[in-house]
Amino acid sequence: MRPIPLRDLRGAVFGKVDAPLPASAPPIRCVCTDSRDIKPDSVFFAIPGDHFDGHDYVNDAFDKGAVVAIVDREITPPAGKFIIEVPDVRKALGRLASHVRDGMRATKIIAVAGSVGKTGTKHLVHAALGARLPGGMSPKSFNNDIGVPLTIFAAESHWQYLVLEMGTNHPGEIAHLSRTAKPDLAIITNAGEEHLEHLGSLDGVRHENAQVVVGMDAARGLLVINGDDPDLERAVDGWWKGRSLTFGNHRPDDDEGNDVEQADLFATDVEVGWDGTRFNLNGSRTKLHVPQLGAHVATNALAAVAVARRLGLGDQEIAAGLAKATGPEMRLQPTSMPVDGGVVKVLNDAYNANPPSVRAALATLAALPYDGRRVVALGDMFELGETGPGHHYAIGRLAAKTADVLVLVGNLMCQHAAEAAGTVEDCEVHTFPDVAAAKAELPTLLQPGDTLLVKGSRGMAMERVVKSE
């Protein structure tokens, strides 16, 4: 981050001070929201949270080298330190990020939004561009109004691109992040049943993700959008008048045999194996390989191809970059676990879950070669509101058709998914009230050679089912 004089910092966050800030004060070189991460010449944003209040750690931040703290209440700083007071510390963090972003003229900002596949697509874009260009991406799932600004602050001056993931669970959050980051390019991976408790409906999800474009310049920006959902494209039409490229499945006709518009980029001859996913681009003979699992990976890789082409990379460079892509943790991550007499292959997809991501995980399990049985362990899917029981019922039936053994964990899965699974023959169903109970019993249900898929919402922490400790 380029150093920021204290007076510029105060102006950027719309803050007030009790006394004039001296021009001789050292400029800010680092932004922190956690007092444990303070570096010399830092600004500390004292963000109130559900469990901790940053204002309780202001003095600790000063002791560790912070020069100034951004607060929302009256605090007296020690000698040689400074306080800038604002009405809302989180909003002030976003204002400073927007100020810093305005100075990143040589760095292309790529925003990735959507219901499913944001993190994986972010990794694919980074891999494709990194074949030739210096750049970075947001760490882990830094995709909210704290994570996106922190990612912007951490960008290096010589980077030519920065990939930002943008998430939401309430209306208006994507628009706020887009206005903060002012993307040059934006990707919408898809729109599916997620966070319905607050977004209301699938149309509400589409409307929310469509707003990733509101911070873009229509004259210079590019939207890369999933063309398999015409309603999503229509939702974007109200916000975006600039250039768009579509990506999606190869669909010469729809289910009724009618001609449909073909996406600009599409995948054909998709092959899913334990070493990753292979596909042909727009029907060409050149097969691309991505070391991530699932047919949906091919679709996400199309978005990466579109972005990389826009930034001047050739297809051979893009293919070489995608072949080295690393996948995010606990997203269809292949591993193994020992059982009596041998081992079980594990697909750890436990980071999070909603109906479309569970469907994609089940499709991946079905596509992979296997020797023994298919075992699926599913935890509750959260934030679906009144639609939760119906979605769990539908997922339970689909999972029972995919699995030989189905392990259901949590209240919603045990009630509604188990009811649906009971209507499917030839599937052995086990229910457990919580992860601890499932973990204790799971080893007795597995056999050497089985393939186990583990998935659930983040609050379920389903990865504990397969942890050894």
Side-chain angles (χ1 to χ4, degrees), residues 1 107 114 117 140 142 163 168 183 188 231 278 311 373 405:
M1 185 180 76
T107 305
K140 299 182 179 179
F142 273 34
V163 192
T168 180
I188 306 179
D231 290 330
R278 290 174 170 80
L311 268 62
R373 303 171 305 166
V405 180

Side-chain angles (χ1 to χ4, degrees), residues 164-213:
L164 300 175
E165 181 179 340
M166 295 186 176
T168 180
N169 56 20
H170 285 79
E173 291 180 339
I174 292 291
H176 171 70
L177 295 176
S178 181
R179 292 189 179 102
T180 298
K182 306 178 183 70
D184 297 287
L185 302 94
I187 297 170
I188 306 179
T189 59
N190 47 53
E193 305 92 336
E194 61 153 353
H195 305 303
L196 298 181
E197 184 177 3
H198 302 294
L199 298 180
S201 66
L202 185 53
D203 280 341
V205 175
R206 293 186 179 105
H207 179 80
E208 174 67 8
N209 282 289
Q211 294 179 67
V212 72
V213 302

Side-chain angles (χ1 to χ4, degrees), residues 31-39 43-47 54 57 60-61 64 150:
V31 179
C32 295
T33 59
D34 188 328
S35 62
R36 295 169 296 184
D37 298 331
I38 294 293
K39 297 178 178 61
V43 53
F44 175 63
F45 280 78
I47 297 175
Y57 300 91
D60 185 43
K64 292 179 178 178
L150 290 178

Side-chain angles (χ1 to χ4, degrees), residues 88-96 145 176:
D88 188 309
V89 179
R90 289 180 76 128
K91 288 182 179 178
L93 185 73
R95 291 191 180 105
L96 180 59
D145 62 339
H176 171 70

